[in-house]
Amino acid sequence: MSVLPLVFTSGWASGINAYAVVLLLGVFGATGLTDEVPASLQRTDVLIVAGVLFLCEAVADKIPYVDSVWDAVHTVIRPLAGAVVGALLAGQSGSLSDIAAGAVGGSTALASHFVKAGTRMAVNTSPEPFSNIALSTAEDLGVAGIVTFAMFNPQAAAIIAALLLAAGLAILFFLWSRIRRFLRRRAQRREEKRLAAEEREAAARAAVPPR
């Protein structure tokens, strides 16, 4: 049970930025700041891949609509990362079964991922891009700060993560109407593009003289 707060916090953070979590935990373990990080997360190849993917997410996450596409792709990746990290953390300490820790990390990551993805859908209804940049930066700093805090105060960090998750779910509930408008507009744009393509194709056929 002693590792459960760290598993929960890493799961919450993985749902927002899984690559940042893997990178931070690996760096903390490799530099000797903590003994809780398994050796598999400290490997050089893992750190390099996590760093490159973190940079990709840092860019994609700040571009309107691109961030929502990125979130859709990571609907499976983030919960899976949370489950794997949780299982690895528990496996090293031996105080919690790998399956239970994976379930805690994965389910927490899935919940925070839905909060992140849903909030971005609501933000993307705004025409200006600055809110995306501000929200993405706040998320990156929040993940870095809480994961770092969890290395030294795991219980307190878990409480903060739980409060942030609860607040995010509450905000997502109130933003649902805005999200539905976003989805309707996206479906309408797709339909307009389809109709325009059909009109261009019909015009091209009409312009071809009969033989």
Side-chain angles (χ1 to χ4, degrees):
M1 293 297 293
S2 62
V3 78
L4 183 59
L6 181 58
V7 170
F8 180 86
T9 303
S10 65
W12 169 83
S14 295
I16 298 174
N17 194 325
Y19 306 123
V21 173
V22 174
L23 181 61
L24 284 170
L25 290 179
V27 169
F28 289 144
T31 55
L33 292 177
T34 178
D35 296 329
E36 296 290 340
V37 180
S40 56
L41 294 179
Q42 303 177 34
R43 290 171 43 181
T44 303
D45 56 341
V46 172
L47 293 176
I48 292 175
V49 172
V52 171
L53 291 174
F54 169 74
L55 292 177
C56 293
E57 176 150 343
V59 175
D61 206 38
K62 295 174 176 60
I63 304 174
Y65 298 106
V66 174
D67 56 356
S68 290
V69 175
W70 185 270
D71 288 337
V73 173
H74 284 74
T75 301
V76 176
I77 297 175
R78 287 169 182 160
L80 182 60
V84 171
V85 170
L88 289 174
L89 291 172
Q92 186 188 19
S93 68
S95 61
L96 196 66
S97 72
D98 294 353
I99 295 177
V104 171
S107 58
T108 306
L110 182 62
S112 62
H113 165 75
F114 280 138
V115 171
K116 174 186 174 73
T119 304
R120 287 310 180 86
M121 287 184 182
V123 169
N124 280 334
T125 61
S126 174
E128 45 78 27
F130 304 107
S131 53
N132 298 74
I133 298 174
L135 185 57
S136 176
T137 303
E139 290 171 349
D140 293 341
L141 293 176
V143 166
I146 292 181
V147 171
T148 301
F149 186 52
M151 292 294 98
F152 307 99
N153 297 279
Q155 290 81 10
I159 293 174
I160 295 174
L163 292 175
L164 289 175
L165 180 59
L169 291 172
I171 293 173
L172 185 61
F173 176 79
F174 287 108
L175 290 176
W176 180 243
S177 60
R178 192 169 185 177
I179 294 171
R180 285 188 299 176
R181 287 198 302 270
F182 167 77
L183 294 175
R184 284 197 300 266
R185 289 176 182 174
R186 186 169 64 176
Q188 183 179 1
R189 284 194 297 269
R190 289 177 178 174
E191 182 65 17
E192 290 174 352
K193 290 180 180 179
R194 185 185 66 81
L195 292 176
E198 291 179 353
E199 290 177 358
R200 288 194 299 269
E201 184 178 351
R205 285 198 302 264
V208 176
R211 295 181 179 179

